[in-house]
Amino acid sequence: MKDSDDPADPNPAASSGDVDGGDAIDRDADTGKASSDPATDRPVSTVGTHQSAASSLFNSFPSLSRIMSVVVLVMVIIAVGLLFYKVMAGFFVPLFLAVLLVVIFRPVHMWILHRMGNRPRTAAAITTGLILTIVLMPLLLLVVVAVGQFASVLKQIDAGSLKRAIERGREQTALAVPHPEYFRRLDEIVIRLQSSEPQHIETSEVLQAKDILGSLQNDESISQSARDAATPAAVSAAESLDELLSEIKGWQNREFDDPVARSYVEDLDLMARLQQLSDDAGSKTRRWMQEILGGSIWGPIRLAANLSDDEIDRMILSTRDTLQPWFVQFTSRTGGFLVTLGIGILIMVISVYFFLIDGPGMVHTLMRLSPMDDNYERRLLMEFDRTSRAVVLASVLSALAQGVLAAIAYFFLGFSGSVVLLFLATTVMALVPFLGAASVWVPCVVWLGLVERQWGQAIFLLIYGTLVISSIDNVIKVFVLHGRSQLHPLLALLSVLGGVGVFGPIGILVGPMVVVFLQTLLEILNHELAKGDFHIRPSDGADETTA
């Protein structure tokens, strides 16, 4: 049977022209004109079709009331979030430290959890106790011992011991000057000659300067080479002092004999000449002092290093007056500080316990509530875990290793009375880029060599500090990081200093982590923009038009 004889197909021509009819409808739709239905031969309008499509498009947008509801909800969330921040801002440091400890001790906790038969509360309690035993208790004990040693060091420092230490330091560095009191007095006279008015210059001071100059120039305690080098300057300075002394005596005699006969112009000329002679004598005398003390650079340094006992006493008194208000303020706040510290430690311990129990559930809830893509959230969590181990674990282990190695040297080199204090100082400074542990052991080298006169021990500590203490940092960080990239040294230094300024001591750890998180977020944003989802491709627009 043929298709034209099929009773279900009353119009064979229409059936054969379906394709052409469909094309005609599409062409009419494109031109916005009415077309006829091939089956019923009735006109079909495309205007209704466009109206229904527009109506569906507008219906897809949310209503104005829903938009307002969402806006108000967002504003309420922001307001409550600000209040939440103010409430929780004071607990940032203990919570942050708790998170770091949980991340670092997570492998230990998982091992304990497996050994305890998957009992989370028991495993969390054991891990928390382990953290208290390994980290907090030794740290508090070290701080207490270091404070005691620091107080003991302060008690041992008095004016006499400080003067003796300064004297030994001058002798070891060749800064000692024979008869320093004469040089200091001569320096005072030179300052008066160059700064005082001519009528205020005393002949006794000029005579004293000349006598000191001649006495020191012929003093055998000063090396012969230094005296020979300063001889021309001594002769020139003595002549200038003689001329100034003669002019002052003549001016005083003329003023005394006939104060009225001398004209005003003559008086101005004499005053100007006296000022010129005074400046010339002062500059030549100072030039001689520099020559006999070692030159224009070394001479002023040696003169400044030879302070008198009265000047040292005034310096100690000034330093004590400056630090005393700070100590009084610190002492008055000690009670409140200890209470705050105790509360912070308690919050940190409790947070560690609950983070170990409910940490995964908390993370899952935050990921569910966050509008960010889950992949990005996982990447941030992985970056936090990696950064915690890289920045915190590597830095802390390296600092501890440097502190222990330095403490061993301190103990055997005569610093046993303050070894715990030096250990803490070395460990803390090892966390600061560029400065490092060398900022502690280098002054110890200087003290051993210049003050204690133990040059053998000083050289040993210098070599040991360079080859062992400061080099162990590279070994430990390479071992912990396993070749992963680190922050640029300059960026690490700035992040540490900025973190300390914003967050306090904890900023040593927070600063680098903030920089790493910012870098990760920028990489996520760059990846999102590179996907091209924010641009409509021409092919997509063509497909939508055809549809």
Side-chain angles (χ1 to χ4, degrees), residues 164-176 298 446-456 458:
R164 289 191 296 271
I166 293 175
E167 183 65 26
R168 289 196 298 266
R170 285 198 296 254
E171 293 177 359
Q172 292 294 324
T173 55
L175 292 176
W298 195 245
V446 176
W447 177 269
L448 287 174
L450 300 183
V451 179
E452 298 293 337
R453 303 179 183 179
Q454 302 291 337
W455 285 106

PDB file of all heavy atoms in Angstrom, residues 164-176 298 446-456 458:
ATOM      1  N   ARG A 164      83.730  49.951  84.829  1.00  0.00           N
ATOM      2  CA  ARG A 164      84.819  49.006  84.564  1.00  0.00           C
ATOM      3  C   ARG A 164      84.654  48.334  83.204  1.00  0.00           C
ATOM      4  O   ARG A 164      85.640  48.112  82.480  1.00  0.00           O
ATOM      5  CB  ARG A 164      84.868  47.961  85.677  1.00  0.00           C
ATOM      6  CG  ARG A 164      85.357  48.504  87.009  1.00  0.00           C
ATOM      7  CD  ARG A 164      85.644  47.371  87.988  1.00  0.00           C
ATOM      8  NE  ARG A 164      84.431  46.641  88.322  1.00  0.00           N
ATOM      9  CZ  ARG A 164      83.617  46.949  89.327  1.00  0.00           C
ATOM     10  NH1 ARG A 164      83.897  47.994  90.106  1.00  0.00           N
ATOM     11  NH2 ARG A 164      82.547  46.229  89.591  1.00  0.00           N
ATOM     12  N   ALA A 165      83.422  47.994  82.847  1.00  0.00           N
ATOM     13  CA  ALA A 165      83.188  47.378  81.537  1.00  0.00           C
ATOM     14  C   ALA A 165      83.518  48.355  80.412  1.00  0.00           C
ATOM     15  O   ALA A 165      84.115  47.968  79.393  1.00  0.00           O
ATOM     16  CB  ALA A 165      81.730  46.930  81.437  1.00  0.00           C
ATOM     17  N   ILE A 166      83.151  49.625  80.591  1.00  0.00           N
ATOM     18  CA  ILE A 166      83.466  50.623  79.565  1.00  0.00           C
ATOM     19  C   ILE A 166      84.971  50.816  79.444  1.00  0.00           C
ATOM     20  O   ILE A 166      85.513  50.940  78.331  1.00  0.00           O
ATOM     21  CB  ILE A 166      82.754  51.955  79.902  1.00  0.00           C
ATOM     22  CG1 ILE A 166      81.242  51.792  79.776  1.00  0.00           C
ATOM     23  CG2 ILE A 166      83.238  53.068  78.982  1.00  0.00           C
ATOM     24  CD1 ILE A 166      80.467  53.026  80.196  1.00  0.00           C
ATOM     25  N   GLU A 167      85.664  50.815  80.585  1.00  0.00           N
ATOM     26  CA  GLU A 167      87.113  50.977  80.562  1.00  0.00           C
ATOM     27  C   GLU A 167      87.786  49.813  79.851  1.00  0.00           C
ATOM     28  O   GLU A 167      88.707  50.014  79.023  1.00  0.00           O
ATOM     29  CB  GLU A 167      87.633  51.115  81.989  1.00  0.00           C
ATOM     30  CG  GLU A 167      89.129  51.368  82.082  1.00  0.00           C
ATOM     31  CD  GLU A 167      89.532  52.702  81.483  1.00  0.00           C
ATOM     32  OE1 GLU A 167      88.687  53.624  81.455  1.00  0.00           O
ATOM     33  OE2 GLU A 167      90.689  52.808  81.022  1.00  0.00           O
ATOM     34  N   ARG A 168      87.353  48.592  80.148  1.00  0.00           N
ATOM     35  CA  ARG A 168      87.933  47.432  79.456  1.00  0.00           C
ATOM     36  C   ARG A 168      87.629  47.472  77.964  1.00  0.00           C
ATOM     37  O   ARG A 168      88.475  47.116  77.140  1.00  0.00           O
ATOM     38  CB  ARG A 168      87.393  46.144  80.080  1.00  0.00           C
ATOM     39  CG  ARG A 168      87.928  45.861  81.471  1.00  0.00           C
ATOM     40  CD  ARG A 168      87.686  44.411  81.861  1.00  0.00           C
ATOM     41  NE  ARG A 168      86.258  44.109  81.896  1.00  0.00           N
ATOM     42  CZ  ARG A 168      85.505  44.181  82.990  1.00  0.00           C
ATOM     43  NH1 ARG A 168      86.048  44.561  84.149  1.00  0.00           N
ATOM     44  NH2 ARG A 168      84.228  43.874  82.949  1.00  0.00           N
ATOM     45  N   GLY A 169      86.428  47.900  77.626  1.00  0.00           N
ATOM     46  CA  GLY A 169      86.081  48.004  76.208  1.00  0.00           C
ATOM     47  C   GLY A 169      86.936  49.029  75.485  1.00  0.00           C
ATOM     48  O   GLY A 169      87.360  48.799  74.343  1.00  0.00           O
ATOM     49  N   ARG A 170      87.225  50.161  76.138  1.00  0.00           N
ATOM     50  CA  ARG A 170      88.085  51.171  75.505  1.00  0.00           C
ATOM     51  C   ARG A 170      89.490  50.639  75.290  1.00  0.00           C
ATOM     52  O   ARG A 170      90.107  50.876  74.240  1.00  0.00           O
ATOM     53  CB  ARG A 170      88.126  52.431  76.370  1.00  0.00           C
ATOM     54  CG  ARG A 170      86.873  53.276  76.308  1.00  0.00           C
ATOM     55  CD  ARG A 170      87.158  54.667  76.821  1.00  0.00           C
ATOM     56  NE  ARG A 170      87.533  54.653  78.225  1.00  0.00           N
ATOM     57  CZ  ARG A 170      86.746  55.057  79.226  1.00  0.00           C
ATOM     58  NH1 ARG A 170      85.509  55.478  78.934  1.00  0.00           N
ATOM     59  NH2 ARG A 170      87.163  55.049  80.470  1.00  0.00           N
ATOM     60  N   GLU A 171      89.989  49.913  76.274  1.00  0.00           N
ATOM     61  CA  GLU A 171      91.349  49.390  76.134  1.00  0.00           C
ATOM     62  C   GLU A 171      91.439  48.339  75.039  1.00  0.00           C
ATOM     63  O   GLU A 171      92.425  48.285  74.291  1.00  0.00           O
ATOM     64  CB  GLU A 171      91.806  48.805  77.470  1.00  0.00           C
ATOM     65  CG  GLU A 171      91.982  49.844  78.567  1.00  0.00           C
ATOM     66  CD  GLU A 171      92.353  49.214  79.895  1.00  0.00           C
ATOM     67  OE1 GLU A 171      92.445  47.959  79.930  1.00  0.00           O
ATOM     68  OE2 GLU A 171      92.544  49.949  80.884  1.00  0.00           O
ATOM     69  N   GLN A 172      90.424  47.500  74.930  1.00  0.00           N
ATOM     70  CA  GLN A 172      90.459  46.448  73.919  1.00  0.00           C
ATOM     71  C   GLN A 172      90.282  47.000  72.513  1.00  0.00           C
ATOM     72  O   GLN A 172      90.785  46.416  71.544  1.00  0.00           O
ATOM     73  CB  GLN A 172      89.364  45.413  74.203  1.00  0.00           C
ATOM     74  CG  GLN A 172      89.605  44.595  75.464  1.00  0.00           C
ATOM     75  CD  GLN A 172      90.827  43.707  75.322  1.00  0.00           C
ATOM     76  OE1 GLN A 172      91.117  43.180  74.262  1.00  0.00           O
ATOM     77  NE2 GLN A 172      91.577  43.556  76.417  1.00  0.00           N
ATOM     78  N   THR A 173      89.601  48.094  72.365  1.00  0.00           N
ATOM     79  CA  THR A 173      89.354  48.663  71.032  1.00  0.00           C
ATOM     80  C   THR A 173      90.282  49.817  70.700  1.00  0.00           C
ATOM     81  O   THR A 173      90.059  50.523  69.712  1.00  0.00           O
ATOM     82  CB  THR A 173      87.902  49.152  70.940  1.00  0.00           C
ATOM     83  OG1 THR A 173      87.633  50.082  72.008  1.00  0.00           O
ATOM     84  CG2 THR A 173      86.931  47.990  71.042  1.00  0.00           C
ATOM     85  N   ALA A 174      91.320  50.027  71.515  1.00  0.00           N
ATOM     86  CA  ALA A 174      92.291  51.105  71.291  1.00  0.00           C
ATOM     87  C   ALA A 174      91.627  52.472  71.300  1.00  0.00           C
ATOM     88  O   ALA A 174      92.081  53.403  70.609  1.00  0.00           O
ATOM     89  CB  ALA A 174      93.038  50.881  69.968  1.00  0.00           C
ATOM     90  N   LEU A 175      90.577  52.617  72.072  1.00  0.00           N
ATOM     91  CA  LEU A 175      89.908  53.909  72.198  1.00  0.00           C
ATOM     92  C   LEU A 175      90.343  54.664  73.452  1.00  0.00           C
ATOM     93  O   LEU A 175      89.935  55.812  73.649  1.00  0.00           O
ATOM     94  CB  LEU A 175      88.377  53.719  72.240  1.00  0.00           C
ATOM     95  CG  LEU A 175      87.721  53.228  70.955  1.00  0.00           C
ATOM     96  CD1 LEU A 175      86.235  53.006  71.182  1.00  0.00           C
ATOM     97  CD2 LEU A 175      87.935  54.233  69.833  1.00  0.00           C
ATOM     98  N   ALA A 176      91.147  54.037  74.300  1.00  0.00           N
ATOM     99  CA  ALA A 176      91.598  54.698  75.526  1.00  0.00           C
ATOM    100  C   ALA A 176      92.539  55.852  75.189  1.00  0.00           C
ATOM    101  O   ALA A 176      93.361  55.775  74.263  1.00  0.00           O
ATOM    102  CB  ALA A 176      92.292  53.685  76.443  1.00  0.00           C
ATOM    103  N   TRP A 298      89.068  59.193  63.500  1.00  0.00           N
ATOM    104  CA  TRP A 298      89.329  58.398  64.706  1.00  0.00           C
ATOM    105  C   TRP A 298      89.440  59.284  65.949  1.00  0.00           C
ATOM    106  O   TRP A 298      89.080  58.873  67.052  1.00  0.00           O
ATOM    107  CB  TRP A 298      90.611  57.597  64.491  1.00  0.00           C
ATOM    108  CG  TRP A 298      90.816  56.489  65.476  1.00  0.00           C
ATOM    109  CD1 TRP A 298      91.819  56.393  66.398  1.00  0.00           C
ATOM    110  CD2 TRP A 298      90.018  55.325  65.647  1.00  0.00           C
ATOM    111  NE1 TRP A 298      91.707  55.239  67.123  1.00  0.00           N
ATOM    112  CE2 TRP A 298      90.601  54.558  66.680  1.00  0.00           C
ATOM    113  CE3 TRP A 298      88.871  54.850  65.033  1.00  0.00           C
ATOM    114  CZ2 TRP A 298      90.070  53.351  67.117  1.00  0.00           C
ATOM    115  CZ3 TRP A 298      88.340  53.646  65.452  1.00  0.00           C
ATOM    116  CH2 TRP A 298      88.921  52.910  66.479  1.00  0.00           C
ATOM    117  N   VAL A 446      81.020  40.070  70.902  1.00  0.00           N
ATOM    118  CA  VAL A 446      81.636  41.359  71.229  1.00  0.00           C
ATOM    119  C   VAL A 446      81.917  41.463  72.724  1.00  0.00           C
ATOM    120  O   VAL A 446      82.976  41.948  73.151  1.00  0.00           O
ATOM    121  CB  VAL A 446      80.718  42.510  70.765  1.00  0.00           C
ATOM    122  CG1 VAL A 446      81.288  43.857  71.174  1.00  0.00           C
ATOM    123  CG2 VAL A 446      80.531  42.462  69.242  1.00  0.00           C
ATOM    124  N   TRP A 447      80.982  41.005  73.549  1.00  0.00           N
ATOM    125  CA  TRP A 447      81.177  41.053  75.001  1.00  0.00           C
ATOM    126  C   TRP A 447      82.355  40.181  75.428  1.00  0.00           C
ATOM    127  O   TRP A 447      83.185  40.595  76.244  1.00  0.00           O
ATOM    128  CB  TRP A 447      79.898  40.602  75.697  1.00  0.00           C
ATOM    129  CG  TRP A 447      80.012  40.555  77.192  1.00  0.00           C
ATOM    130  CD1 TRP A 447      80.390  39.491  77.969  1.00  0.00           C
ATOM    131  CD2 TRP A 447      79.773  41.636  78.102  1.00  0.00           C
ATOM    132  NE1 TRP A 447      80.384  39.823  79.298  1.00  0.00           N
ATOM    133  CE2 TRP A 447      80.013  41.142  79.416  1.00  0.00           C
ATOM    134  CE3 TRP A 447      79.366  42.958  77.942  1.00  0.00           C
ATOM    135  CZ2 TRP A 447      79.861  41.945  80.548  1.00  0.00           C
ATOM    136  CZ3 TRP A 447      79.211  43.745  79.065  1.00  0.00           C
ATOM    137  CH2 TRP A 447      79.460  43.249  80.344  1.00  0.00           C
ATOM    138  N   LEU A 448      82.449  38.980  74.882  1.00  0.00           N
ATOM    139  CA  LEU A 448      83.549  38.095  75.252  1.00  0.00           C
ATOM    140  C   LEU A 448      84.897  38.678  74.836  1.00  0.00           C
ATOM    141  O   LEU A 448      85.873  38.582  75.591  1.00  0.00           O
ATOM    142  CB  LEU A 448      83.354  36.721  74.605  1.00  0.00           C
ATOM    143  CG  LEU A 448      82.264  35.828  75.185  1.00  0.00           C
ATOM    144  CD1 LEU A 448      82.113  34.569  74.341  1.00  0.00           C
ATOM    145  CD2 LEU A 448      82.586  35.452  76.633  1.00  0.00           C
ATOM    146  N   GLY A 449      84.954  39.275  73.664  1.00  0.00           N
ATOM    147  CA  GLY A 449      86.234  39.774  73.180  1.00  0.00           C
ATOM    148  C   GLY A 449      86.646  41.100  73.785  1.00  0.00           C
ATOM    149  O   GLY A 449      87.783  41.255  74.252  1.00  0.00           O
ATOM    150  N   LEU A 450      85.720  42.064  73.797  1.00  0.00           N
ATOM    151  CA  LEU A 450      86.086  43.416  74.190  1.00  0.00           C
ATOM    152  C   LEU A 450      86.008  43.647  75.693  1.00  0.00           C
ATOM    153  O   LEU A 450      86.782  44.436  76.236  1.00  0.00           O
ATOM    154  CB  LEU A 450      85.192  44.431  73.465  1.00  0.00           C
ATOM    155  CG  LEU A 450      85.261  44.394  71.940  1.00  0.00           C
ATOM    156  CD1 LEU A 450      84.378  45.487  71.355  1.00  0.00           C
ATOM    157  CD2 LEU A 450      86.693  44.545  71.450  1.00  0.00           C
ATOM    158  N   VAL A 451      85.065  43.008  76.346  1.00  0.00           N
ATOM    159  CA  VAL A 451      84.874  43.260  77.773  1.00  0.00           C
ATOM    160  C   VAL A 451      85.569  42.198  78.620  1.00  0.00           C
ATOM    161  O   VAL A 451      86.344  42.508  79.527  1.00  0.00           O
ATOM    162  CB  VAL A 451      83.366  43.329  78.111  1.00  0.00           C
ATOM    163  CG1 VAL A 451      83.164  43.561  79.605  1.00  0.00           C
ATOM    164  CG2 VAL A 451      82.695  44.450  77.313  1.00  0.00           C
ATOM    165  N   GLU A 452      85.298  40.928  78.322  1.00  0.00           N
ATOM    166  CA  GLU A 452      85.892  39.845  79.104  1.00  0.00           C
ATOM    167  C   GLU A 452      87.311  39.502  78.680  1.00  0.00           C
ATOM    168  O   GLU A 452      88.003  38.742  79.364  1.00  0.00           O
ATOM    169  CB  GLU A 452      85.010  38.585  78.992  1.00  0.00           C
ATOM    170  CG  GLU A 452      83.607  38.758  79.535  1.00  0.00           C
ATOM    171  CD  GLU A 452      83.591  38.955  81.030  1.00  0.00           C
ATOM    172  OE1 GLU A 452      84.575  38.539  81.700  1.00  0.00           O
ATOM    173  OE2 GLU A 452      82.609  39.525  81.542  1.00  0.00           O
ATOM    174  N   ARG A 453      87.733  40.011  77.524  1.00  0.00           N
ATOM    175  CA  ARG A 453      89.080  39.771  76.998  1.00  0.00           C
ATOM    176  C   ARG A 453      89.344  38.287  76.743  1.00  0.00           C
ATOM    177  O   ARG A 453      90.481  37.822  76.809  1.00  0.00           O
ATOM    178  CB  ARG A 453      90.139  40.333  77.950  1.00  0.00           C
ATOM    179  CG  ARG A 453      89.995  41.809  78.248  1.00  0.00           C
ATOM    180  CD  ARG A 453      91.060  42.287  79.217  1.00  0.00           C
ATOM    181  NE  ARG A 453      90.887  43.687  79.560  1.00  0.00           N
ATOM    182  CZ  ARG A 453      91.671  44.349  80.411  1.00  0.00           C
ATOM    183  NH1 ARG A 453      92.682  43.717  80.989  1.00  0.00           N
ATOM    184  NH2 ARG A 453      91.439  45.608  80.676  1.00  0.00           N
ATOM    185  N   GLN A 454      88.287  37.553  76.424  1.00  0.00           N
ATOM    186  CA  GLN A 454      88.406  36.132  76.104  1.00  0.00           C
ATOM    187  C   GLN A 454      88.334  35.983  74.578  1.00  0.00           C
ATOM    188  O   GLN A 454      87.318  35.580  74.023  1.00  0.00           O
ATOM    189  CB  GLN A 454      87.306  35.330  76.790  1.00  0.00           C
ATOM    190  CG  GLN A 454      87.276  35.448  78.292  1.00  0.00           C
ATOM    191  CD  GLN A 454      88.477  34.766  78.942  1.00  0.00           C
ATOM    192  OE1 GLN A 454      89.095  33.869  78.371  1.00  0.00           O
ATOM    193  NE2 GLN A 454      88.809  35.195  80.157  1.00  0.00           N
ATOM    194  N   TRP A 455      89.404  36.334  73.909  1.00  0.00           N
ATOM    195  CA  TRP A 455      89.370  36.356  72.451  1.00  0.00           C
ATOM    196  C   TRP A 455      89.271  34.962  71.856  1.00  0.00           C
ATOM    197  O   TRP A 455      88.681  34.778  70.784  1.00  0.00           O
ATOM    198  CB  TRP A 455      90.620  37.070  71.921  1.00  0.00           C
ATOM    199  CG  TRP A 455      90.538  38.551  72.087  1.00  0.00           C
ATOM    200  CD1 TRP A 455      91.208  39.315  72.989  1.00  0.00           C
ATOM    201  CD2 TRP A 455      89.721  39.437  71.334  1.00  0.00           C
ATOM    202  NE1 TRP A 455      90.849  40.628  72.854  1.00  0.00           N
ATOM    203  CE2 TRP A 455      89.946  40.740  71.831  1.00  0.00           C
ATOM    204  CE3 TRP A 455      88.827  39.273  70.279  1.00  0.00           C
ATOM    205  CZ2 TRP A 455      89.315  41.860  71.317  1.00  0.00           C
ATOM    206  CZ3 TRP A 455      88.189  40.391  69.769  1.00  0.00           C
ATOM    207  CH2 TRP A 455      88.423  41.667  70.279  1.00  0.00           C
ATOM    208  N   GLY A 456      89.819  33.967  72.519  1.00  0.00           N
ATOM    209  CA  GLY A 456      89.675  32.603  72.020  1.00  0.00           C
ATOM    210  C   GLY A 456      88.229  32.148  72.031  1.00  0.00           C
ATOM    211  O   GLY A 456      87.729  31.581  71.041  1.00  0.00           O
ATOM    212  N   ALA A 458      85.655  34.134  72.074  1.00  0.00           N
ATOM    213  CA  ALA A 458      84.912  34.991  71.148  1.00  0.00           C
ATOM    214  C   ALA A 458      85.040  34.488  69.712  1.00  0.00           C
ATOM    215  O   ALA A 458      84.050  34.429  68.961  1.00  0.00           O
ATOM    216  CB  ALA A 458      85.407  36.432  71.265  1.00  0.00           C
TER     217      ALA A 458
END
